[in-house]
Amino acid sequence: MVEKVDRRVRKTKAQLRAGLARLMQKKSIKEITVKELVDEVDINRSTFYLHYSDIYQMLESIENELMDEIAQVIEEHPLDLVQNGSSYPMIEHIFTILDNNKDICIALLGKNGDMAFVSRIEKLIADTVLHRLSIRLPKDNRDIEYAYAFCLNGCVGMIKTWLSSENQESTQHMAELTHKLIDNTTHMYLEQALR
Protein backbone atom coordinates (compact mmCIF):
# COMPACT_ATOMS: atom_id res chain seq x y z
CA MET A 1 0.00 0.00 0.00
CA VAL A 2 2.83 2.41 0.88
CA GLU A 3 4.46 1.93 -2.54
CA LYS A 4 1.16 2.69 -4.27
CA VAL A 5 0.87 5.94 -2.30
CA ASP A 6 4.50 6.80 -3.04
CA ARG A 7 3.96 6.15 -6.74
CA ARG A 8 0.87 8.36 -6.72
CA VAL A 9 2.73 11.15 -4.88
CA ARG A 10 5.66 10.91 -7.32
CA LYS A 11 3.26 11.03 -10.27
CA THR A 12 1.42 14.07 -8.88
CA LYS A 13 4.67 15.92 -8.14
CA ALA A 14 5.96 15.10 -11.64
CA GLN A 15 2.74 16.47 -13.18
CA LEU A 16 2.99 19.67 -11.12
CA ARG A 17 6.64 20.07 -12.01
CA ALA A 18 5.99 19.59 -15.75
CA GLY A 19 3.11 22.07 -15.56
CA LEU A 20 5.27 24.62 -13.75
CA ALA A 21 8.02 24.21 -16.36
CA ARG A 22 5.51 24.86 -19.18
CA LEU A 23 4.10 27.94 -17.45
CA MET A 24 7.58 29.33 -16.66
CA GLN A 25 8.42 29.26 -20.34
CA LYS A 26 5.54 31.70 -20.90
CA LYS A 27 5.70 33.92 -17.81
CA SER A 28 7.58 34.85 -14.67
CA ILE A 29 7.15 32.81 -11.48
CA LYS A 30 5.63 35.94 -9.88
CA GLU A 31 2.78 35.77 -12.39
CA ILE A 32 1.96 32.07 -11.91
CA THR A 33 -0.87 31.23 -9.50
CA VAL A 34 -1.68 27.93 -7.84
CA LYS A 35 -5.06 27.97 -9.61
CA GLU A 36 -3.37 28.39 -12.98
CA LEU A 37 -0.94 25.55 -12.25
CA VAL A 38 -3.58 23.08 -11.06
CA ASP A 39 -5.74 23.93 -14.09
CA GLU A 40 -2.72 23.32 -16.32
CA VAL A 41 -2.22 19.80 -14.94
CA ASP A 42 -5.87 19.05 -14.15
CA ILE A 43 -5.63 18.33 -10.42
CA ASN A 44 -7.39 19.80 -7.37
CA ARG A 45 -6.00 22.75 -5.42
CA SER A 46 -6.22 20.66 -2.27
CA THR A 47 -3.90 18.08 -3.86
CA PHE A 48 -1.35 20.82 -4.57
CA TYR A 49 -1.53 21.98 -0.93
CA LEU A 50 -0.87 18.42 0.30
CA HIS A 51 2.64 18.78 -1.13
CA TYR A 52 3.48 22.50 -1.20
CA SER A 53 2.48 25.67 0.65
CA ASP A 54 2.71 27.87 -2.47
CA ILE A 55 4.35 28.20 -5.90
CA TYR A 56 7.57 29.63 -4.43
CA GLN A 57 7.96 26.77 -1.97
CA MET A 58 7.37 24.31 -4.83
CA LEU A 59 10.04 25.97 -6.97
CA GLU A 60 12.46 26.02 -4.03
CA SER A 61 11.83 22.32 -3.43
CA ILE A 62 12.54 21.48 -7.10
CA GLU A 63 15.69 23.63 -7.10
CA ASN A 64 16.93 22.03 -3.87
CA GLU A 65 16.47 18.54 -5.33
CA LEU A 66 18.51 19.53 -8.41
CA MET A 67 21.19 21.17 -6.25
CA ASP A 68 21.42 18.04 -4.09
CA GLU A 69 21.85 15.85 -7.18
CA ILE A 70 24.60 18.08 -8.60
CA ALA A 71 26.33 18.37 -5.20
CA GLN A 72 26.29 14.59 -4.88
CA VAL A 73 27.90 14.22 -8.33
CA ILE A 74 30.64 16.67 -7.39
CA GLU A 75 31.22 14.76 -4.15
CA GLU A 76 31.31 11.38 -5.96
CA HIS A 77 33.80 12.63 -8.57
CA PRO A 78 36.61 14.38 -6.68
CA LEU A 79 38.42 16.65 -9.07
CA ASP A 80 42.07 16.60 -8.10
CA LEU A 81 43.74 18.86 -10.65
CA VAL A 82 47.03 18.67 -8.80
CA GLN A 83 47.30 15.01 -9.74
CA ASN A 84 45.80 15.57 -13.21
CA GLY A 85 42.54 13.80 -12.45
CA SER A 86 39.96 14.00 -15.22
CA SER A 87 36.83 16.06 -14.79
CA TYR A 88 35.09 14.19 -17.65
CA PRO A 89 33.08 11.70 -15.50
CA MET A 90 31.75 14.54 -13.34
CA ILE A 91 30.83 16.67 -16.37
CA GLU A 92 29.07 13.76 -18.09
CA HIS A 93 27.08 12.99 -14.95
CA ILE A 94 25.99 16.66 -14.66
CA PHE A 95 24.86 16.65 -18.31
CA THR A 96 22.84 13.49 -17.58
CA ILE A 97 21.10 15.24 -14.66
CA LEU A 98 20.33 18.25 -16.88
CA ASP A 99 18.97 15.96 -19.60
CA ASN A 100 16.83 13.99 -17.14
CA ASN A 101 15.38 17.29 -15.88
CA LYS A 102 15.28 18.99 -19.26
CA ASP A 103 11.86 20.65 -18.98
CA ILE A 104 12.47 22.35 -15.65
CA CYS A 105 16.11 23.20 -16.51
CA ILE A 106 14.98 24.97 -19.70
CA ALA A 107 12.49 26.92 -17.59
CA LEU A 108 15.03 27.76 -14.85
CA LEU A 109 17.68 28.89 -17.36
CA GLY A 110 15.22 30.67 -19.67
CA LYS A 111 14.14 34.30 -19.80
CA ASN A 112 11.61 33.74 -16.99
CA GLY A 113 13.98 31.54 -15.03
CA ASP A 114 15.52 31.90 -11.62
CA MET A 115 18.94 33.53 -11.86
CA ALA A 116 19.44 32.93 -8.13
CA PHE A 117 19.33 29.19 -8.87
CA VAL A 118 21.92 29.57 -11.66
CA SER A 119 24.10 31.53 -9.21
CA ARG A 120 23.76 28.76 -6.60
CA ILE A 121 24.99 26.15 -9.10
CA GLU A 122 27.82 28.43 -10.23
CA LYS A 123 28.87 28.98 -6.60
CA LEU A 124 28.75 25.25 -5.85
CA ILE A 125 31.01 24.49 -8.82
CA ALA A 126 33.25 27.51 -8.12
CA ASP A 127 33.78 26.48 -4.50
CA THR A 128 35.00 23.10 -5.75
CA VAL A 129 36.90 23.84 -8.97
CA LEU A 130 38.18 27.35 -8.36
CA HIS A 131 39.60 26.35 -4.99
CA ARG A 132 41.59 23.53 -6.59
CA LEU A 133 42.87 25.76 -9.39
CA SER A 134 43.94 28.49 -6.98
CA ILE A 135 46.14 26.03 -5.05
CA ARG A 136 48.50 25.95 -8.07
CA LEU A 137 48.77 29.71 -8.47
CA PRO A 138 50.43 32.53 -6.55
CA LYS A 139 48.07 33.91 -3.89
CA ASP A 140 47.97 37.39 -5.44
CA ASN A 141 46.91 36.16 -8.90
CA ARG A 142 43.25 37.16 -9.33
CA ASP A 143 43.27 36.40 -13.06
CA ILE A 144 42.24 32.81 -12.32
CA GLU A 145 38.84 34.13 -11.21
CA TYR A 146 38.38 35.81 -14.59
CA ALA A 147 39.51 32.74 -16.51
CA TYR A 148 37.16 30.60 -14.44
CA ALA A 149 34.24 33.04 -14.97
CA PHE A 150 34.94 32.89 -18.71
CA CYS A 151 34.72 29.08 -18.69
CA LEU A 152 31.68 28.95 -16.41
CA ASN A 153 29.64 31.51 -18.34
CA GLY A 154 30.57 29.80 -21.59
CA CYS A 155 29.33 26.50 -20.14
CA VAL A 156 26.02 28.02 -19.02
CA GLY A 157 25.50 29.45 -22.53
CA MET A 158 26.37 26.10 -24.09
CA ILE A 159 23.96 24.26 -21.76
CA LYS A 160 21.11 26.66 -22.64
CA THR A 161 21.75 26.16 -26.36
CA TRP A 162 21.99 22.37 -25.96
CA LEU A 163 18.82 22.02 -23.85
CA SER A 164 16.74 24.08 -26.27
CA SER A 165 18.12 22.39 -29.41
CA GLU A 166 15.69 20.24 -31.39
CA ASN A 167 18.42 17.84 -32.52
CA GLN A 168 20.09 17.49 -29.17
CA GLU A 169 23.55 15.89 -29.07
CA SER A 170 24.18 13.11 -26.56
CA THR A 171 25.26 13.79 -23.00
CA GLN A 172 28.55 12.02 -23.81
CA HIS A 173 29.21 14.34 -26.78
CA MET A 174 28.45 17.45 -24.71
CA ALA A 175 30.60 16.23 -21.81
CA GLU A 176 33.54 15.58 -24.17
CA LEU A 177 33.16 19.00 -25.80
CA THR A 178 32.87 20.78 -22.44
CA HIS A 179 35.83 18.87 -21.02
CA LYS A 180 38.01 19.74 -24.03
CA LEU A 181 37.07 23.42 -23.96
CA ILE A 182 37.64 23.79 -20.21
CA ASP A 183 40.77 21.64 -20.23
CA ASN A 184 42.36 23.57 -23.10
CA THR A 185 41.49 26.94 -21.56
CA THR A 186 42.73 26.09 -18.06
CA HIS A 187 45.92 24.36 -19.24
CA MET A 188 46.79 27.24 -21.53
CA TYR A 189 46.07 29.72 -18.76
CA LEU A 190 47.99 27.78 -16.12
CA GLU A 191 51.03 27.44 -18.40
CA GLN A 192 51.12 31.19 -18.92
CA ALA A 193 50.42 32.02 -15.27
CA LEU A 194 53.17 29.73 -13.96
CA ARG A 195 55.88 31.08 -16.29
Side-chain angles (χ1 to χ4, degrees), residues 164-181:
S164 56
S165 170
E166 286 185 28
N167 299 318
Q168 195 179 46
E169 284 77 14
S170 70
T171 55
Q172 293 83 6
H173 174 80
M174 293 307 296
E176 283 172 28
L177 179 60
T178 304
H179 184 261
K180 281 180 199 167
L181 291 170

Side-chain angles (χ1 to χ4, degrees), residues 143-159:
D143 287 353
I144 189 65
E145 290 179 39
Y146 299 120
Y148 176 76
F150 174 81
C151 289
L152 189 61
N153 286 300
C155 287
V156 170
M158 194 165 61
I159 288 166

